[in-house]
Amino acid sequence: MTIATKPQFRLETLWTPAKTDTQAVYALTLTNASDRPLRDFRLCVSGPARIDPAAVVEGGTLLSRLSNHSEFAPPADLVLQPGSTWTVKAHGMSFAPQHWTDGANSAYLVLADGSTAPISVVPSRAHGDNAELKRGAVIYPVPKVAPVAVSIVPWPQEVSVSGRLTPPLGLDLTPEGPEAEAAAQVFSDLTASLFPVEGIVRPVAEGGLPATLALAGDLAQEGYVIRFSPAGVAITGGTRAGLLYGLITLGQILRGARLHPATFLFPAGGDIRDEPALGWRGTHLDVARQFYSTSEVSRFLRLMAWNKLNRFHWHLSDDEAWRIEIDAYPALTEIGAWRGHGRKIPPLLGSGPDVTGGYYTKAAVREIVALAATLGIEVMPEIDVPGHSFAMLQAIPELRDPEEAGSYYSVQGFPDNCLNPVREETYRVLEVVFDELIELFPSKIIHVGADEVPLGAWSGSPQALERLRTVAGDEMAAAHAKRLNVVTNTHGADEIDGSGAAVLQAEFLARVQGFLASRGCVTGGWQEAAHGNVIDKEKSLLFGWRTVEANAELAGEGYDIVVCPGQVYYLDMANSPAWSEPGGSWAGWSDPEKLYLFDPIEGWTEAQKKHLRGLQCCIWSEPMTDRGVFDRLVFPRLSALAETGWTRPERKNFKRFEALVGLMPVLYGFYSEH
């Protein structure tokens, strides 16, 4: 229930960094824009910024904090008259805000009768910074003169074309054989979806240029050859995916020539020979922090295909939500998929008091997996365990040790968010969940997370401490017990290697991997899955997010690895250090040029490179409530990552990329000239 349909209250937030003689302060100012006095209320706010547990609060009281959801009370005698303001200041943040999206992005009031009232939230400002706040993908204008004559992203391995045809209106496809027919149909559907009025696939009667498609046994699995002649085009491919990639290249050439005929041409002769440099060219999408509908995910997959990306890492669970239907445990979605005031998961990261969220039914998952398969994309699901499991534990609280006491906290400020590695109930539930997942995902790579377990995890669980005493001795168990109720990680993820938490997690991962291997599956995990060196390297795949050096070390130890260093390949990180840019900076920042030029395996030995499976970018969704922010953060950096994965290093050229990438589509259609 709300007291008004239109917000009559406004919240402004201001970040003032510390100076030599002053503390940093995060100020929240509430304005009563209604015509009635306001008393006996509480202010609830959420956003990526998190008030530190040890913060000194001025002008009010911090009543509660769960991760980025904070509840403040004004002084007991405060009556906020119409037109007046109340400011509460926090001296202490879990991380210093560096961008406008770091601040509060939703807020509401809880009134004396328990009802709620909406608040209009103004984007956060930094003291002394009045620059225009940025959102929307940067427009890369197509130049009058480009470094190359044809428009293709990612750039092929060999381009040897000549002559110039008047750009045809479209392509009349003639496939030879069932695989070619399937590729032609997928390309027709893909272009009709991405460019619905351009008619890229059309018959000769409507101006389509003849284009034949056929398989060729002498090409790489994803390789293709395009041969141009005045009479038409011939595409051969090693597989259906190769044919599709050849068609996508041809479609890009056609669009460039038609939309910018003074800059790009459609060849009259010559050929293009191409195959990818790396096998795993992926994108991760976090749907737990923000929910994306089936239609949004489907369009995103089509954009991936247009960039020749072939792996979709679907991050389906985290502390903030559980997003996939599990028949055996309906509470996972009934409780874990929804946030709201008074619910087990409060409003977080931009959600307000009303119930918001969502999840993917099994029918929706099958639809998305099937679409991905037609586009040459393999889908890898992730259920993040044993950490990042706050939502799961809210839904199935009986997974906890009933004798567990006290609390530990994750880096994101969630209490007691790890599945207990000692309890049989943990494995009973997970094995059922994984069995249901395996039935949905043909890839048979199941990512289990294994990242960011707090140093104090399970330090109050008698069952866990007893097991630790058995496997690692009394001294380690006693040391681990002392970590109970100690906040260790307010400013960064704990390094747990060698700790009691790492020992217990290693036991958990060995057990989980053994189960997945029994089902014929490879276990995927973030690089922390290597703690204790207990997982079978032959049946695992690590995703290295910390540093190039750490990834090289893991490859040197014999782990197959996909590299995704957060400093550059985390697309939730901002494009620059400026406050006016959206996104985060805790891992670093990278504009498209920095990402494009970055070498993710710099300094690796040849032996280490043998364990490189590929690369991917990661889209974490904390700042993505505003879909214009999504477009700015993801595009064109997604295409820069795609070219690093496809094009051999010696063939890369940022000036060429910059001239061509403006023709690539974005997800939501938000653009900015800044």
Side-chain angles (χ1 to χ4, degrees):
M1 174 181 175
T2 59
I3 64 170
T5 57
K6 182 179 180 181
Q8 294 183 306
F9 308 97
R10 185 174 72 253
L11 183 72
E12 298 170 89
T13 54
L14 177 67
W15 168 248
T16 303
K19 297 182 179 179
T20 54
D21 56 343
T22 59
Q23 287 183 301
V25 60
Y26 182 57
L28 303 94
T29 299
L30 175 69
T31 299
N32 182 0
S34 76
D35 57 2
R36 290 171 289 175
L38 180 65
R39 57 169 58 86
D40 298 328
F41 65 91
R42 306 192 304 275
L43 170 65
C44 297
V45 299
S46 76
R50 296 188 296 275
I51 309 298
D52 194 277
V56 174
V57 176
E58 175 187 348
T61 304
L62 178 62
L63 298 176
S64 64
R65 168 195 182 268
L66 178 70
S67 185
N68 54 75
H69 176 81
S70 298
E71 186 173 328
F72 297 93
D77 57 351
L78 179 73
V79 177
L80 196 60
Q81 298 294 337
S84 61
T85 63
W86 164 60
T87 298
V88 59
K89 298 179 179 180
H91 299 277
M93 305 292 290
S94 289
F95 66 91
Q98 298 182 59
H99 302 277
W100 68 268
T101 48
D102 283 337
N105 53 19
S106 72
Y108 61 95
L109 296 176
V110 180
L111 305 177
D113 63 358
S115 64
T116 62
I119 297 176
S120 174
V121 179
V122 179
S124 290
R125 283 290 183 180
H127 183 75
D129 192 324
N130 296 310
E132 180 183 353
L133 304 183
K134 298 172 183 176
R135 58 193 296 276
V138 174
I139 296 173
Y140 278 68
V142 173
K144 291 182 180 179
V145 178
V148 289
V150 289
S151 178
I152 309 167
V153 176
W155 191 250
Q157 306 305 341
E158 297 181 32
V159 178
S160 180
V161 295
S162 59
R164 177 190 294 265
L165 286 181
T166 300
L169 298 178
L171 303 168
D172 181 30
L173 305 182
T174 303
E176 299 175 4
E179 293 297 288
E181 289 174 2
Q185 184 60 57
V186 171
F187 180 73
S188 180
D189 294 343
L190 177 63
T191 53
S193 176
L194 294 179
F195 316 107
V197 298
E198 295 186 24
I200 290 175
V201 175
R202 61 174 69 196
V204 170
E206 296 183 13
L209 179 73
T212 62
L213 289 82
L215 291 179
D218 58 343
L219 296 176
Q221 188 173 15
E222 295 179 297
Y224 64 89
V225 174
I226 306 175
R227 293 186 172 88
F228 295 90
S229 75
V233 181
I235 301 176
T236 53
T239 59
R240 182 194 306 184
L243 288 171
L244 177 61
Y245 291 147
L247 283 167
I248 289 170
T249 293
L250 185 60
Q252 291 181 356
I253 292 172
L254 175 63
R255 293 192 75 242
R258 285 199 52 77
L259 298 176
H260 299 275
T263 303
F264 302 117
L265 58 78
F266 192 92
D271 57 39
I272 293 173
R273 297 176 178 272
D274 201 9
E275 64 182 64
L278 296 174
W280 186 292
R281 307 177 306 281
T283 300
H284 154 289
L285 180 64
D286 160 27
V287 300
R289 276 56 179 263
Q290 309 291 349
F291 182 67
Y292 302 82
S293 67
T294 297
S295 61
E296 289 173 286
V297 174
S298 297
R299 177 170 169 82
F300 186 71
L301 289 169
R302 293 184 173 98
L303 293 176
M304 286 180 61
W306 197 251
N307 284 272
K308 301 188 178 77
L309 294 166
N310 67 351
R311 296 291 189 275
F312 180 53
H313 177 169
W314 204 0
H315 187 84
L316 289 163
S317 78
D318 216 298
D319 292 310
E320 292 85 351
W322 180 282
R323 299 297 193 196
I324 185 168
E325 179 181 32
I326 299 296
D327 293 335
Y329 299 104
L332 286 170
T333 48
E334 290 170 358
I335 293 172
W338 308 97
R339 304 198 284 253
H341 179 68
R343 296 184 67 88
K344 289 189 175 183
I345 304 176
L348 297 167
L349 296 167
S351 57
D354 298 331
V355 176
T356 57
Y359 66 93
Y360 305 99
T361 64
K362 287 190 170 182
V365 171
R366 291 188 179 99
E367 176 187 332
I368 288 168
V369 170
L371 172 64
T374 67
L375 296 168
I377 297 170
E378 187 176 291
V379 182
M380 176 184 67
E382 179 185 353
I383 299 298
D384 202 346
V385 290
H388 287 283
S389 296
F390 182 82
M392 185 180 187
L393 287 165
Q394 299 310 298
I396 314 178
E398 56 269 27
L399 290 178
R400 297 191 185 280
D401 179 348
E403 303 300 321
E404 189 166 2
S407 285
Y408 56 87
Y409 294 87
S410 74
V411 61
Q412 287 84 12
F414 286 95
D416 312 316
N417 72 330
C418 300
L419 301 183
N420 197 303
V422 179
R423 291 173 58 77
E424 283 302 310
E425 290 86 343
T426 296
Y427 303 103
R428 173 176 54 80
V429 171
L430 284 180
E431 288 174 7
V432 171
V433 168
F434 286 139
D435 271 337
E436 292 197 28
L437 278 182
I438 291 165
E439 189 271 330
L440 293 169
F441 293 94
S443 76
K444 296 298 184 287
I445 304 176
I446 306 296
H447 197 296
V448 301
D451 62 315
E452 295 186 331
V453 166
L455 189 61
W458 313 297
S459 54
S461 164
Q463 292 181 0
L465 291 172
E466 180 60 30
R467 179 60 182 166
L468 187 57
R469 189 173 293 109
T470 300
V471 299
D474 292 343
E475 185 177 346
M476 180 169 281
H480 194 60
K482 292 178 181 178
R483 295 190 174 111
L484 186 62
N485 297 325
V486 176
V487 178
T488 58
N489 50 13
T490 58
H491 303 292
D494 284 334
E495 294 286 352
I496 69 168
D497 208 10
S499 70
V503 171
L504 291 168
Q505 178 180 314
E507 292 229 320
F508 171 88
L509 290 172
R511 175 86 175 260
V512 167
Q513 185 184 51
F515 171 77
L516 291 174
S518 75
R519 297 297 196 264
C521 293
V522 169
T523 299
W526 301 107
Q527 66 188 70
E528 291 95 325
H531 285 322
N533 197 31
V534 297
I535 60 173
D536 185 344
K537 296 180 178 69
E538 298 298 318
K539 300 172 183 176
S540 62
L541 179 62
L542 296 186
F543 292 74
W545 65 275
R546 289 186 180 265
T547 64
V548 172
E549 293 77 16
N551 291 344
E553 184 177 345
L554 289 168
E557 293 172 7
Y559 290 99
D560 285 347
I561 192 163
V562 173
V563 295
C564 45
Q567 306 93 321
V568 181
Y569 287 172
Y570 273 24
L571 299 192
D572 55 314
M573 297 297 102
N575 280 277
S576 88
W579 177 267
S580 56
E581 285 286 359
S585 282
W586 62 264
W589 63 270
S590 63
D591 62 14
E593 183 174 9
K594 182 178 179 180
L595 190 151
Y596 186 90
L597 297 176
F598 177 70
D599 181 359
I601 55 170
E602 182 179 8
W604 284 36
T605 66
E606 291 304 314
Q608 289 167 335
K609 290 177 183 178
K610 290 179 181 179
H611 291 283
L612 176 69
R613 288 281 300 277
L615 52 73
Q616 70 177 32
C617 57
C618 295
I619 302 172
W620 299 101
S621 291
E622 283 89 340
M624 305 298 191
T625 304
D626 183 329
R627 296 316 206 219
V629 167
F630 187 102
D631 276 353
R632 186 171 191 85
L633 292 174
V634 174
F635 305 102
R637 292 191 294 182
L638 184 78
S639 297
L641 182 283
E643 188 146 313
T644 299
W646 184 280
T647 308
R648 299 191 187 283
E650 65 273 13
R651 299 281 289 166
K652 292 177 66 181
N653 181 302
F654 183 73
K655 290 298 181 185
R656 179 194 65 225
F657 174 82
E658 194 175 32
L660 308 182
V661 76
L663 282 160
M664 301 296 281
V666 306
L667 185 58
Y668 295 104
F670 291 100
Y671 289 94
S672 169
E673 295 185 0
H674 304 286

